[in-house]
């Protein structure tokens, strides 16, 4: 049996080149080697208020983008978290074995709650729900960015605690994987990771941005006061542009170095912009085809939920049995 891979992405903001180069490109690549489940985590998204109409649109847009970047429904299950009720159900059982202190220590919780006047309980529970996503499918490998490794550690701690209280129930997910993806920084502020939730027109390049918007954002990106590219002394902005170019074009280091050394920033930006525009063109074309086919995305998501549902039910039944709880009655036969 193939090892199971599981990962998740929130349907907030627009998926951007940082998401693509840091994670999604790799999701598409590894789906052939593993039994993969990719989850659009809408229950995580609502830990901060989401406009209902907008949220639905974002979920469908994200699903279409994931298909456009190469997630292949023949190989991967593409699942909307809320369409499989066992995510929330397992989260409750896990909540009951999780000390509040573990949750209050999470750096993401501390950062997000600091910005909030009243802190929703969901924000505190966020990593428990993430643990449920992982443990529900007994995933062995969980590709996540550096910012999620603390949550992944917590998922292991929760699984361990459950196993020691109620008997061996959960597979331990792998803790850390060497990060394969590139770490892309904000174009307006290259000290900060490119983020979906950071406002500002010049911050991120959405995978669906039209060519002119891409060019404009890159031409205006923050660099430094050197006159031209010098690999030894390049500031964060210039290094970020080079990283973006290399991640899309996949040149070896030496080629990158000899091509760009001494190039003026204006020309560097032009070349990076054209590389991004041409790399995104086929993705955008597939996105247009996918969304033009009425009902296609909805059918893929239904199929994904149907595929994983028996796995989810099986785990929840095991957990309930271990804890002495009841499972739903069999339907009445007619
Ligand atoms: N919290 C993750 C993030 O913001 C998304 C996520 C939710 C996730 N559930 C998951 C990632 C399960 C991996 C596995 O990136």
């Amino acid at each position: 049996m193939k090892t199971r891979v599981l990962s998740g992405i929130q349907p907030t903001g627009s998926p951007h080149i940082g998401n693509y180069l840091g994670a999604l490109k790799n999701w598409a690549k590894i789906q052939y080697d593993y039994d993969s489940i990719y989850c659009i985590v809408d229950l995580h998204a609502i830990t901060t208020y989401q406009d209902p109409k907008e949220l639905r649109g974002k979920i469908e847009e994200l699903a279409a983008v994931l298909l456009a970047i190469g997630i292949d429904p023949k190989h991967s299950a593409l699942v909307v978290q809320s369409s499989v009720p066992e995510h929330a159900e397992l989260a409750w059982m896990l909540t009951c074995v999780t000390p509040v202190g573990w949750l209050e220590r999470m750096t993401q919780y501390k950062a997000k709650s600091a910005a909030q006047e009243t802190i929703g309980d969901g924000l505190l529970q966020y990593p428990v729900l993430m643990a449920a996503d992982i443990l529900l499918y007994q995933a062995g490998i969980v590709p996540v960015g550096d910012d999620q490794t603390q949550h992944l550690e917590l998922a292991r701690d929760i699984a361990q605690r459950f196993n020691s209280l109620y008997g061996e129930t959960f597979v331990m997910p792998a803790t850390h994987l060497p990060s394969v993806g590139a770490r892309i920084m904000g174009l307006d502020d290259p000290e900060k990771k490119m983020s979906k939730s950071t406002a500002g027109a010049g911050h991120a390049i959405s995978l669906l941005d039209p060519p002119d918007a891409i060019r404009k954002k890159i031409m205006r990106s923050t660099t430094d006061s050197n006159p031209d590219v010098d690999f030894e002394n390049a500031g964060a902005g210039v290094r970020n542009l080079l990283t973006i170019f290399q991640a899309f074009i996949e040149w070896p280091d030496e080629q990158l170095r000899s091509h760009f050394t001494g190039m003026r920033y204006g020309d560097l930006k032009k070349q990076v912009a054209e590389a991004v525009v041409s790399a995104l063109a086929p993705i955008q074309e597939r996105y247009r085809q996918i969304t033009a086919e009425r009902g296609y995305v909805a059918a893929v998501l239904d199929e994904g939920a149907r595929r994983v549902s028996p796995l989810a039910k099986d785990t929840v039944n095991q957990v309930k049995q271990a804890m002495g709880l009841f499972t739903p009655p069999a339907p009445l036969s007619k």
Side-chain angles (χ1 to χ4, degrees):
M1 226 175 67
K2 287 183 181 173
T3 304
R4 179 159 298 138
V5 165
L6 179 129
S7 198
I9 180 170
Q10 290 198 50
T12 49
S14 257
H16 51 63
I17 59 169
N19 301 125
Y20 177 64
L21 297 172
L24 306 180
K25 193 177 169 194
N26 189 47
W27 289 12
K29 191 168 144 216
I30 64 178
Q31 68 185 330
Y32 302 102
D33 301 323
Y34 298 102
D35 172 2
S36 27
I37 300 174
Y38 296 125
C39 220
I40 297 175
V41 292
D42 52 351
L43 297 175
H44 279 104
I46 59 167
T47 54
T48 54
Y49 178 80
Q50 304 295 325
D51 176 80
K53 266 210 202 81
E54 232 170 77
L55 179 60
R56 255 206 109 80
K58 289 276 174 208
I59 294 168
E60 282 159 12
E61 180 193 271
L62 178 55
V65 166
L66 291 172
L67 294 169
I69 63 113
I71 299 299
D72 179 352
K74 286 197 196 69
H75 288 274
S76 305
L78 187 57
V79 181
V80 179
Q81 189 185 32
S82 63
S83 68
V84 181
E86 286 79 10
H87 286 260
E89 199 178 2
L90 179 59
W92 174 254
M93 271 84 93
L94 298 180
T95 291
C96 296
V97 303
T98 307
V100 178
W102 289 5
L103 300 174
E104 286 170 338
R105 270 202 296 277
M106 294 292 112
T107 51
Q108 187 174 302
Y109 168 73
K110 286 195 261 184
K112 282 191 183 174
S113 59
Q116 227 89 33
E117 221 172 279
T118 43
I119 302 158
D121 188 23
L123 222 44
L124 185 64
Q125 300 300 322
Y126 182 108
V128 183
L129 180 59
M130 178 164 160
D133 298 340
I134 297 165
L135 301 175
L136 192 56
Y137 302 112
Q138 313 275 6
I141 299 180
V142 184
V144 290
D146 291 341
D147 58 332
Q148 296 296 313
T149 50
Q150 196 185 29
H151 288 164
L152 197 49
E153 279 296 337
L154 185 81
R156 287 172 59 83
D157 290 343
I158 293 173
Q160 217 142 41
R161 194 169 160 99
F162 188 99
N163 285 352
S164 73
L165 286 171
Y166 294 105
E168 283 301 311
T169 308
F170 294 117
V171 170
M172 282 300 147
T175 13
H176 198 71
L177 302 145
S179 72
V180 279
R183 190 174 154 82
I184 307 299
M185 313 305 281
L187 295 175
D188 55 343
D189 178 359
E191 303 295 337
K192 289 212 184 80
K193 194 175 159 188
M194 190 177 281
S195 146
K196 283 193 284 184
S197 49
T198 302
H203 176 72
I205 294 173
S206 157
L207 294 176
L208 301 177
D209 273 347
D212 279 343
I214 296 173
R215 292 189 182 104
K216 211 178 266 171
K217 286 177 186 178
I218 292 179
M219 294 314 290
R220 288 182 188 165
S221 65
T222 304
T223 47
D224 50 57
S225 53
N226 295 339
D228 53 34
V229 179
D230 167 357
F231 276 74
E232 270 64 48
N233 299 303
V238 168
R239 275 186 278 129
N240 190 39
L241 291 174
L242 291 165
T243 302
I244 292 170
F245 183 93
Q246 192 177 25
F248 276 116
I249 304 289
E250 299 184 352
W251 278 0
D253 290 350
E254 316 82 72
Q255 190 177 359
L256 192 77
R257 197 175 263 263
S258 64
H259 182 81
F260 285 110
T261 294
M263 190 180 283
R264 302 188 66 83
Y265 288 167
D267 292 326
L268 163 74
K269 287 178 171 180
K270 272 187 204 142
Q271 295 204 8
V272 173
E274 291 322 306
V276 176
V277 166
S278 58
L280 295 188
I283 291 175
Q284 297 184 353
E285 178 52 29
R286 273 199 299 278
Y287 180 84
R288 275 190 288 275
Q289 287 167 3
I290 286 161
T291 49
E293 199 177 326
R294 258 176 169 275
Y296 176 70
V297 173
V300 167
L301 295 175
D302 283 353
E303 158 68 15
R306 280 197 200 98
R307 195 139 110 213
V308 302
S309 175
L311 306 169
K313 284 194 165 53
D314 195 49
T315 303
V316 165
N317 284 346
Q318 279 180 48
V319 168
K320 285 178 155 181
Q321 236 153 37
M323 297 180 96
L325 301 169
F326 272 45
T327 51
L332 288 175
S333 49
K334 287 200 183 130

